[in-house]
C-alpha cells in the first residue's frame, strides 16, 4: 500500500461531504441551537430576575411583617400596661369606695345604734319616772298626774 | 461505568486480530490492508466482505456515514429543543458551546468570531465523528488517509488567503509577512520564510491529524499481530497493551479534532489581523 497515494476523488469527496455538512449545519441546525440556547439563557436569566424580585418582595414583606408584629407587640404591651394601670386604678378606687362606703355604713350604724340607745335610755327613764310616780302614788296616796310632776320626776331620775 | 466497558474491548480486539490473519500471512500487507482504502468493508469476521454501492470506497463511506450521523443526531434533537433538555441534547449542545466559547470566541473574540461558529462547529463535529467512527472495530478511520486530512488542510489554506485578502487586503496581507525594522536583505528572506510558513502551517495541520490517527491504529494492530507472530500466549501481554493504546486513541481522537479546529481558527484569525 502506498501511504501517500494521491486520491483526488477522495479529496473532492471530503470537500463535498464537509461542504454539505457545513451548509446544513450553518443553515438549519446551529442557528436553531444557538437561538434555543439564547432563549433558554434569557428564560433562565428572567427566571433568576423574577426569583430575585420575589425574594426582594418576600424580604420586604418579611420586614413589613416584622414591623407590624413589633408595632402590634408594642401596642399590645402599651395596652396591657394601660389596662393593668386602669385595673390597678379601678381596683384602688373600688377599694377606696368600698372602704368609704363601709366607713359610712359603720358610721351610720354607729349613729343609729347611738340614737336607738338614746331612745331606749329615754324610754327607760320615762318608764322609770312613771314607775316612780306610781310607786309614790301608792306611798303618798295621791296621784302625780300633772305634767309638772311628771317632768320633775323625770329630771330626778336623770340626775340619779 | 468505565470498568464495565473495558472488558468488552478485549474480545473485539481479538476478533479483529483473528480476521486480520485469516486473510493472508503477509504481516505488513495485513496491517496496511486494515487501514487502507478499498471498496469492500469487512464488517463481520469469517464472512465475505460487503462491497459498497456506487463504487464508493470505505473512506468515502465513513465520511458519508459521519455526516449522516451528525445530521441525524443534530437534526433530530435541534427540532425537539426543550427548556429542560435531556442528557443527549445537553451533550450535543455542549459540543457547539465548547467550539463557540473555547475555540472561536477565545481566539477571534465574540464579534469577529460569531459568523465563524457554524464553520468551526462543522469542522470539529466532522473530525471528531470521523475519528471516533474509526475506533469502532471493523470500521476504518477516514482521517487515517492523507487525502482526507490534506484536503481539509488545503481548505484551511485557501480560507486563510481568502479571509486575509478580504479582511485586510492583499497588500496588507503580504506586508504583514515582512518584519518591520529589519534590513532589506534579511527582511526579504524572513518574508519568504513567513510566506512559506503560511503553507507549511496549514499543510502540517493535515499531516499531524493523518499521522496521529494512522499511527494509533497501526500501533493497536501491531500489538495484535504479535499474537500470531510470537505465540498465542503473547495475547496476555498484547491485548492489554492494545486496549491501553485503544483508550489512548480515544483521547487522541478528541485531541486531534480539537487541535485541528483550534489551529485552523488561529491561522485564519491571524491572517485577518493587522
Amino acid at each position: 500500500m502506498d501511504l501517500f497515494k494521491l486520491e483526488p476523488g477522495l479529496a473532492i469527496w471530503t470537500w463535498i461531504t464537509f461542504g454539505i455538512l457545513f451548509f446544513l449545519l450553518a443553515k438549519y441546525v446551529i442557528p436553531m441551537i444557538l437561538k434555543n440556547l439564547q432563549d433558554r439563557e434569557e428564560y433562565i436569566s428572567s427566571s433568576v430576575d423574577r426569583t430575585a424580585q420575589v425574594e426582594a418582595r418576600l424580604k420586604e414583606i418579611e420586614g413589613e411583617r416584622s414591623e407590624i408584629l413589633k408595632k402590634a407587640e408594642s401596642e399590645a404591651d402599651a395596652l396591657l400596661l394601660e389596662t393593668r394601670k386602669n385595673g390597678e386604678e379601678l381596683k384602688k378606687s373600688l377599694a377606696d369606695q368600698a372602704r368609704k362606703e363601709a366607713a359610712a355604713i359603720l358610721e351610720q350604724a354607729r349613729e343609729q345604734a347611738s340614737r336607738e340607745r338614746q331612745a331606749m335610755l329615754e324610754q327607760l327613764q320615762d318608764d322609770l319616772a312613771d314607775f316612780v310616780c306610781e310607786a309614790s302614788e301608792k306611798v303618798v296616796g295621791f296621784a302625780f298626774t300633772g305634767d309638772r310632776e311628771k317632768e320633775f320626776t323625770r329630771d330626778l331620775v336623770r340626775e340619779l | 461505568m468505565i470498568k464495565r466497558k473495558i472488558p468488552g474491548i478485549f474480545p473485539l480486539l481479538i476478533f479483529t486480530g483473528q480476521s486480520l490473519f485469516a486473510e493472508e500471512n503477509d504481516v505488513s500487507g495485513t496491517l496496511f490492508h486494515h487501514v487502507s482504502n478499498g471498496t469492500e468493508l469487512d464488517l463481520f469476521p469469517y464472512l465475505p466482505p460487503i462491497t459498497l454501492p456506487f463504487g464508493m470506497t470505505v473512506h468515502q463511506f465513513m465520511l458519508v456515514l459521519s455526516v449522516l450521523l451528525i445530521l441525524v443526531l443534530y437534526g433530530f434533537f435541534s427540532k425537539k429543543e426543550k427548556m429542560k433538555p435531556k442528557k443527549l441534547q445537553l451533550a450535543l449542545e455542549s459540543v457547539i458551546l465548547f467550539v463557540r466559547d473555547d475555540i472561536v470566541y477565545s481566539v477571534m473574540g465574540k464579534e469577529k468570531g460569531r459568523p465563524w461558529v457554524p464553520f468551526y462547529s462543522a469542522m470539529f463535529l466532522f473530525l471528531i465523528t470521523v475519528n471516533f467512527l474509526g475506533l469502532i472495530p471493523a470500521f476504518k478511520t477516514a482521517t487515517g488517509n492523507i487525502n482526507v486530512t490534506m484536503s481539509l488542510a488545503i481548505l484551511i489554506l485557501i480560507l486563510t488567503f481568502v479571509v486575509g485578502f478580504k479582511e485586510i487586503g492583499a497588500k496588507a496581507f503580504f506586508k504583514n509577512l515582512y518584519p518591520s525594522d529589519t534590513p532589506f536583505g534579511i527582511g526579504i528572506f524572513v518574508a519568504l520564510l513567513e510566506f512559506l510558513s503560511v503553507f507549511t502551517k496549514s499543510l502540517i495541520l493535515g499531516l499531524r491529524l493523518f499521522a496521529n490517527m494512522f499511527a494509533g491504529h497501526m500501533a493497536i494492530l501491531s500489538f495484535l499481530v504479535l499474537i500470531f507472530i510470537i505465540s498465542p500466549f503473547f495475547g496476555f501481554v498484547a491485548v492489554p497493551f492494545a486496549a491501553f493504546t485503544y483508550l489512548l486513541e480515544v483521547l487522541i481522537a478528541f485531541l486531534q479534532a480539537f487541535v485541528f479546529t483550534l489551529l485552523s481558527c488561529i491561522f485564519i484569525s491571524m491572517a485577518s489581523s493587522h
Side-chain angles (χ1 to χ4, degrees):
Chain A
M1 176 211 169
D2 190 0
L3 201 61
F4 299 102
K5 187 179 149 194
L6 193 65
E7 292 175 67
L10 184 59
I12 292 165
W13 195 261
T14 308
W15 284 332
I16 290 169
T17 47
F18 176 71
I20 290 168
L21 177 71
F22 167 62
F23 174 76
L24 292 174
L25 284 184
K27 185 137 177 88
Y28 301 106
V29 179
I30 290 173
M32 196 188 288
I33 288 176
L34 292 178
K35 192 189 165 294
N36 285 326
L37 281 169
Q38 198 181 345
D39 287 351
R40 205 180 302 151
E41 264 176 31
E42 279 167 10
Y43 174 75
I44 291 167
S45 160
S46 71
S47 296
V48 168
D49 285 350
R50 269 209 306 275
T51 311
Q53 278 174 4
V54 168
E55 211 171 312
R57 180 78 191 117
L58 202 68
K59 268 186 186 170
E60 209 175 290
I61 289 168
E62 190 71 24
E64 278 173 14
R65 193 183 72 99
S66 70
E67 207 171 295
I68 289 167
L69 267 176
K70 263 185 196 170
K71 200 175 163 188
E73 215 168 278
S74 66
E75 274 177 9
D77 280 349
L79 203 67
L80 195 68
L81 207 70
E82 202 183 318
T83 311
R84 209 171 275 166
K85 196 178 156 191
N86 287 346
E88 286 292 321
E89 274 174 12
L90 188 67
K91 193 176 142 190
K92 200 178 162 189
S93 76
L94 280 174
D96 284 350
Q97 201 182 339
R99 216 171 285 135
K100 273 181 195 168
E101 277 177 10
I105 289 166
L106 197 66
E107 190 62 31
Q108 211 178 350
R110 248 180 222 153
E111 274 174 15
Q112 199 176 347
S114 170
R115 269 199 312 271
E116 279 176 5
R117 187 172 157 267
Q118 192 62 34
M120 271 173 67
L121 203 63
E122 281 174 5
Q123 183 69 39
L124 190 65
Q125 283 171 351
D126 286 349
D127 286 351
L128 193 60
D130 286 345
F131 179 67
V132 167
C133 283
E134 278 176 21
S136 301
E137 192 185 334
K138 282 189 180 167
V139 171
V140 180
F142 64 91
F144 290 88
T145 51
D147 290 334
R148 265 191 70 213
E149 287 85 2
K150 278 191 179 176
E151 191 66 35
F152 173 73
T153 312
R154 272 184 198 126
D155 289 343
L156 192 70
V157 169
R158 271 179 203 134
E159 278 170 21
L160 284 170
Chain B
M1 191 73 174
I2 290 171
K3 271 182 186 174
R4 223 173 51 219
K5 280 189 175 174
I6 287 174
I9 295 167
F10 291 86
L12 284 171
L13 291 172
I14 294 169
F15 224 34
T16 318
Q18 281 173 342
S19 68
L20 207 80
F21 250 61
E23 294 163 21
E24 48 191 318
N25 284 323
D26 169 26
V27 176
S28 63
T30 308
L31 282 177
F32 280 112
H33 169 75
H34 279 265
V35 288
S36 66
N37 200 3
T39 52
E40 290 177 337
L41 190 62
D42 297 311
L43 270 183
F44 308 104
Y46 305 113
L47 288 179
I50 299 165
T51 307
L52 294 167
F54 314 116
M56 196 186 264
T57 65
V58 177
H59 287 162
Q60 285 173 342
F61 174 71
M62 298 316 291
L63 293 175
V64 173
L65 192 64
S66 304
V67 169
L68 286 177
L69 195 66
I70 295 166
L71 290 177
V72 166
L73 275 175
Y74 276 91
F76 184 71
F77 282 99
S78 61
K79 274 183 188 172
K80 292 196 168 183
E81 281 277 3
K82 288 170 193 164
M83 279 298 166
K84 287 179 185 173
K86 295 260 166 67
K87 282 178 186 174
L88 184 61
Q89 190 183 341
L90 269 177
L92 294 172
E93 283 174 3
S94 65
V95 176
I96 304 288
L97 282 179
F98 168 72
V99 175
R100 188 188 72 174
D101 298 337
D102 294 332
I103 298 177
V104 184
Y105 283 0
S106 68
V107 173
M108 293 180 151
K110 205 171 180 178
E111 283 305 307
K112 204 177 161 189
R114 190 171 289 131
W116 287 96
V117 173
F119 176 77
Y120 289 112
S121 299
M123 179 67 79
F124 183 75
L125 283 170
F126 184 66
L127 290 176
I128 204 164
T129 314
V130 173
N131 288 353
F132 276 121
L133 273 184
L135 290 173
I136 299 171
F139 277 15
K140 290 187 180 183
T141 317
T143 41
N145 188 318
I146 198 162
N147 290 283
V148 174
T149 59
M150 288 312 270
S151 60
L152 289 173
I154 289 166
L155 182 69
I156 298 301
L157 179 67
I158 293 166
L159 275 175
T160 306
F161 279 103
V162 170
V163 172
F165 288 179
K166 195 184 163 195
E167 295 282 319
I168 59 172
K171 196 179 167 187
F173 180 83
F174 288 113
K175 202 181 167 188
N176 273 349
L177 303 175
Y178 190 86
S180 56
D181 304 329
T182 317
F184 181 72
I186 297 171
I188 288 289
F189 180 67
V190 173
L192 270 172
L193 285 181
E194 282 289 326
F195 183 67
L196 273 176
S197 79
V198 175
F199 290 88
T200 52
K201 275 191 296 189
S202 299
L203 297 178
I204 278 172
L205 278 179
L207 203 61
R208 183 191 294 113
L209 179 61
F210 157 71
N212 275 286
M213 298 319 296
F214 179 79
H217 284 71
M218 286 304 280
I220 293 171
L221 289 168
S222 301
F223 278 125
L224 295 175
V225 163
L226 286 175
I227 299 170
F228 301 94
I229 293 172
I230 299 171
S231 152
F233 293 107
F234 191 72
F236 291 108
V237 178
V239 171
F241 268 91
F244 175 73
T245 315
Y246 182 89
L247 292 177
L248 209 63
E249 271 289 285
V250 174
L251 178 69
I252 288 168
F254 166 78
L255 210 62
Q256 286 308 312
F258 172 67
V259 167
F260 191 100
T261 315
L262 180 71
L263 288 178
S264 57
C265 186
I266 290 171
F267 296 158
I268 291 173
S269 175
M270 275 167 65
S272 62
S273 59
H274 287 279

